[in-house]
Amino acid sequence: MKKKLRMEIVSKFVVGSDQGVDEFFDVKKAFIKSSYKEIVAPEIIENYIKEHFDHRKMINVLNDFSNQLIMVFANQQPVGYCFFQTGFSYPEASENQKMTAIKEFSILQEYDLPEVRLSLWNKVKSAIQFADSIWINIRENNSEIQFFKDQKFVFVKDTVSEPFNLPSSIYELDLKKS
């Protein structure tokens, strides 16, 4: 009989430091490679990583107060992250709302467990309480869609998502109602 190992799960803010960016890029690269391997050619993925993973730029991005990065760690290993921007709305959004955009919410497949996802989500929610609403542009076949629907996000419109312009949808959570 296998003994179930207990995982220590911690979600925390990451600042614009070399270590923080290294951990973020390690998880993001692994996530992109595994998420897109069936639908995007490997050389396109590698070119994207070479062109868009710049330490200096990311440190500057993270030092902008409107950008926040929260990472989730399992047994002190980075396994997922949420990158979000305050004051950022989608086209056609109501102009009089304080909105926060979840730009990326990603957990490595082997750690995509309810307790890991909830740890990350709860930390994000605590950080964005001042917003009127939160929105996310999420790919059609992303396994996280049901999670966001369970959190009371509602469909807004179809669109395309970065980084490879694939079909996606915008979902929004009205925090004034929840």
Side-chain angles (χ1 to χ4, degrees):
M1 188 179 213
K2 268 190 172 177
K3 230 175 145 179
K4 189 172 181 185
L5 296 175
R6 185 155 151 57
M7 257 194 306
E8 177 194 357
I9 301 166
V10 176
S11 292
K12 58 187 176 183
F13 284 96
V14 173
V15 294
S17 67
D18 285 332
Q19 180 186 352
V21 172
D22 283 344
E23 290 175 335
F24 171 55
F25 279 176
D26 287 348
V27 174
K28 186 172 178 169
K29 285 176 193 173
F31 181 80
I32 287 174
K33 288 176 181 179
S34 71
S35 296
Y36 294 100
K37 68 182 175 201
E38 305 291 328
I39 49 179
V40 177
E43 60 274 9
I44 292 173
I45 292 172
E46 286 305 320
N47 285 340
Y48 172 79
I49 289 171
K50 280 182 198 146
E51 291 174 20
H52 292 90
F53 283 61
D54 180 305
H55 266 72
R56 215 26 58 218
K57 280 185 186 169
M58 184 49 66
I59 287 173
N60 291 337
V61 165
L62 291 176
N63 285 325
D64 176 333
F65 290 123
S66 65
N67 299 322
Q68 299 288 319
L69 175 64
I70 296 175
M71 291 194 65
V72 60
F73 295 80
N75 297 334
Q76 300 173 355
Q77 292 298 314
V79 299
Y81 63 90
C82 180
F83 179 76
F84 57 97
Q85 291 181 306
T86 57
F88 193 85
S89 60
Y90 57 87
E92 300 102 36
S94 172
E95 286 183 29
N96 58 356
Q97 285 205 71
K98 289 184 272 184
M99 299 186 94
T100 294
I102 296 176
K103 302 303 268 181
E104 299 175 56
F105 188 97
S106 306
I107 298 170
L108 296 176
Q109 190 174 4
E110 59 271 29
Y111 292 96
D112 194 4
L113 305 165
E115 58 270 26
V116 173
R117 205 177 306 130
L118 276 173
S119 171
L120 183 57
W121 174 241
N122 287 336
K123 188 72 170 182
V124 169
K125 267 190 8 192
S126 73
I128 54 178
Q129 292 176 359
F130 60 86
D132 293 331
S133 71
I134 315 164
W135 66 277
I136 186 168
N137 181 356
I138 192 163
R139 243 184 30 213
E140 281 179 356
N141 57 351
N142 187 313
S143 62
E144 301 290 343
I145 282 182
Q146 191 55 53
F147 173 76
F148 286 107
K149 287 179 179 178
D150 292 346
Q151 304 309 313
K152 309 283 189 266
F153 277 72
V154 294
F155 173 82
V156 175
K157 69 177 196 165
D158 289 320
T159 187
V160 293
S161 67
E162 294 296 326
F164 304 112
N165 292 323
L166 297 168
S168 65
S169 299
I170 291 177
Y171 284 82
E172 184 176 351
L173 174 64
D174 186 337
L175 293 173
K176 295 179 291 188
K177 290 182 183 174
S178 52

